[in-house]
Amino acid sequence: MDFIEELTWRGMIHQMMPGTEEQLKKEMTTAYLGIDPTADSLHIGHLVGVMILKHFQRCGHKPLALIGGATGMIGDPSLKSQERKLLDEETLRHNQEAIKKQLSKFLDFDSDAPNAAEMVNNYDWMKDFSFLAFIRDVGKHITVNYMMAKDSVKKRLSGESQQGMSFTEFSYQLVQGYDFLNLYKEKNCRLQLGGSDQWGNITTGTELIRRTLGGEAYALTCPLITKADGGKFGKTESGNVWLDPRYTSPYKFYQFWLNVSDADAEKYIKIFTELSREEIEALVAEQAENPGARPLQKRLAKEITTMVHSAEDYEAAVEASQILFSNKAGEILRKIDEPTLLAVMEGVPTFEFSRSELEAGIKLADLLTDHAAVFPSKGEMRKMVQGGGVSLNKEKVTDPYMEVKTDSLLNDKYILVQRGKKNYFLLIAK
């Protein structure tokens, strides 16, 4: 596979320094991509860069994932209007380990192949670098005029931000430039990859390599991903979509991709999967013929949920999304875990009641009127039960006075009540 060709048809190249393609054709090349370690999980905003590293390794080259331990202590001014929170070393190391575990699903770190991936942390070579040594050995090679000309600096100084720019942040591009220089010397790293907002920082690195060592280094950036409606990719009402199931359940993760627009699905399936051009073209044609079946979204959600989580998590997410419509919903409800159940029932009205009531046994009519106001009266509930309009945990209720006990609880805590076709209520035993 040819890396540049692969990225080009996938729409993943924004800018590329002259000579990059020739370098990649000449020999196995080492490239790095920086990852911000401000959390102990990646979110889907990181996935474009991660997929570029994955394609890079698939094409026979060697990827380095650089954790920005030192730069994470400073904060990159690119596309930011404020300084970020600074991290201590213990937090950085914890975040690094968590991120490596996630990256292992995309990259081969463990084989003895010459292009096995490596993880590096710039804190390791920056922590003992004195300020005087840094300005003497690195700072003297790059002029302030050169640094001021960068877009990320100009925007922050132009008055768009009320806060201006600290010297700490101004020095960021020098620190990142030194990363490239260090990896060029220590790992023979010839290429830096990143988002289009990183172009200024990356080219400072190539310039530093040229001025200090007379070496040739290269840069390649990918476009920043946006939604077709111009909205920010990867943000939902509840915030970032994370790769760690503690922060975003596999069900919610799957639902995010399943619900993207047709235009976005056609773009994202090229970026976020390994499917071939032919497979994607076939899916696009299928979507054009029958948009209602949403083959693009379904395949995108399947590929990426399986890659980030597992095939089992994908199957469970599909099952969970059928709870409100499936004939087998009762069985599925008994199987799914608490986070998935709560994710499926997000926004459904909830009522709390005392668990001790169930231990003794309680009539359903009493539970749904006196303890949880699902119905305004027992008479109304009776009428709806007679009309077949009441379900308990997706099982039809035939007797309004049936006894409900703790064995009715889902995950030993919840009861799902359905009133009519579309009204759901979640009862929580406390």
Side-chain angles (χ1 to χ4, degrees):
M1 271 169 60
D2 180 285
F3 179 65
I4 301 300
E5 203 178 285
E6 185 72 11
L7 257 55
T8 301
W9 78 260
R10 290 182 183 275
M12 294 172 81
I13 295 181
H14 181 75
Q15 280 170 293
M16 184 168 62
M17 199 172 264
T20 304
E21 193 164 6
E22 291 75 8
Q23 167 62 33
L24 293 172
K25 283 184 169 155
K26 186 171 75 173
E27 61 190 351
M28 182 186 89
T29 301
T30 300
Y32 90 90
L33 178 126
I35 294 170
D36 172 19
T38 45
D40 64 354
S41 172
L42 301 172
H43 54 72
I44 59 174
H46 293 107
L47 274 183
V48 187
V50 173
M51 289 305 295
I52 286 179
L53 286 181
K54 186 174 177 67
H55 290 306
F56 193 69
Q57 190 171 43
R58 285 173 72 213
C59 293
H61 301 292
K62 183 177 177 70
L64 303 177
L66 178 137
I67 295 294
T71 33
M73 289 181 161
I74 300 172
D76 177 5
S78 306
L79 292 187
K80 309 275 192 318
S81 57
Q82 293 184 324
E83 289 210 27
R84 68 162 57 139
K85 190 176 72 181
L86 307 183
L87 303 172
D88 59 65
E89 187 178 355
E90 189 184 344
T91 306
L92 286 168
R93 294 297 180 195
H94 165 74
N95 293 355
Q96 177 181 337
E97 283 312 304
I99 289 168
K100 183 171 184 182
K101 194 173 167 189
Q102 289 181 336
L103 288 175
S104 298
K105 295 190 173 181
F106 298 84
L107 302 171
D108 165 24
F109 284 97
D110 301 321
S111 79
D112 52 7
N115 71 328
E118 287 182 45
M119 179 173 269
V120 291
N121 188 331
N122 61 11
Y123 184 72
D124 293 332
W125 55 81
M126 290 304 301
K127 66 181 178 199
D128 298 323
F129 213 149
S130 78
F131 178 69
L132 290 176
F134 188 79
I135 57 173
R136 182 192 64 206
D137 299 341
V138 180
K140 70 177 182 186
H141 294 288
I142 301 290
T143 66
V144 169
N145 310 45
Y146 179 87
M147 293 171 76
M148 295 280 283
K150 301 291 183 180
D151 282 345
S152 59
V153 175
K154 281 200 289 198
K155 279 180 186 161
R156 283 291 288 272
L157 295 178
S158 68
E160 286 178 31
S161 161
Q162 300 299 310
Q163 299 200 322
M165 185 181 202
S166 67
F167 174 75
T168 308
E169 284 192 302
F170 182 61
S171 64
Y172 185 95
Q173 61 174 291
L174 269 187
V175 179
Q176 186 170 327
Y178 181 73
D179 288 342
F180 202 173
L181 175 62
N182 184 69
L183 291 173
Y184 181 91
K185 289 193 291 192
E186 301 296 324
K187 303 274 185 190
N188 192 29
C189 178
R190 296 299 182 93
L191 172 64
Q192 187 179 163
L193 308 163
S196 58
D197 60 320
Q198 291 295 310
W199 182 257
N201 294 332
I202 295 173
T203 51
T204 298
T206 61
E207 187 67 6
L208 197 55
I209 289 165
R210 187 182 69 76
R211 291 186 187 185
T212 56
L213 303 173
E216 279 294 328
Y218 305 95
L220 185 152
T221 62
C222 60
L224 295 178
I225 304 303
T226 52
K227 294 198 295 190
D229 64 7
K232 191 168 180 186
F233 166 73
K235 287 279 188 188
T236 65
E237 284 176 22
S238 52
N240 282 324
V241 178
W242 298 94
L243 273 54
D244 190 313
R246 291 174 303 161
Y247 306 134
T248 301
S249 69
Y251 169 79
K252 273 194 170 176
F253 186 84
Y254 164 78
Q255 285 290 327
F256 173 84
W257 299 103
L258 192 63
N259 289 312
V260 300
S261 71
D262 289 2
D264 286 336
E266 189 173 334
K267 180 165 77 167
Y268 296 166
I269 202 160
K270 293 175 188 168
I271 296 170
F272 298 111
T273 76
E274 287 181 75
L275 295 178
S276 69
R277 196 171 192 164
E278 294 71 32
E279 285 174 290
I280 290 173
E281 282 169 358
L283 285 162
V284 170
E286 205 183 316
Q287 184 101 347
E289 271 179 43
N290 185 5
R294 309 177 88 241
L296 273 174
Q297 284 93 334
K298 286 177 182 172
R299 189 63 187 277
L300 170 67
K302 176 182 181 179
E303 292 291 321
I304 199 160
T305 305
T306 303
M307 184 160 51
V308 168
H309 295 291
S310 68
E312 292 73 25
D313 284 324
Y314 161 71
E315 297 292 347
V318 173
E319 275 201 334
S321 54
Q322 294 168 352
I323 281 175
L324 305 184
F325 318 104
S326 163
N327 297 330
K328 295 184 180 171
E331 293 168 40
I332 300 168
L333 271 175
R334 294 276 175 196
K335 278 196 306 190
I336 64 172
D337 57 28
E338 184 177 12
T340 306
L341 176 68
L342 292 176
V344 175
M345 295 303 152
E346 192 172 11
V348 165
T350 59
F351 294 104
E352 291 182 0
F353 68 98
S354 169
R355 187 190 177 90
S356 59
E357 303 285 348
L358 284 192
E359 284 161 1
I362 184 172
K363 289 188 171 65
L364 183 62
D366 294 336
L367 178 64
L368 300 188
T369 54
D370 302 338
H371 299 272
V374 174
F375 291 93
S377 69
K378 294 183 177 72
E380 194 168 317
M381 183 200 158
R382 244 191 343 263
K383 259 190 233 164
M384 197 167 259
V385 168
Q386 285 160 3
V390 180
S391 295
L392 198 71
N393 297 336
K394 293 300 284 185
E395 307 283 348
K396 277 265 186 285
V397 173
T398 53
D399 174 9
Y401 296 102
M402 66 181 274
E403 194 168 55
V404 184
K405 290 195 163 182
T406 49
D407 59 2
S408 293
L409 292 173
L410 306 168
N411 287 290
D412 200 35
K413 191 174 177 184
Y414 304 98
I415 292 175
L416 180 65
V417 178
Q418 185 177 357
R419 189 186 79 195
K421 278 190 177 174
K422 292 183 179 173
N423 298 309
Y424 287 92
F425 304 86
L426 196 61
L427 277 52
I428 305 167
K430 290 277 187 176

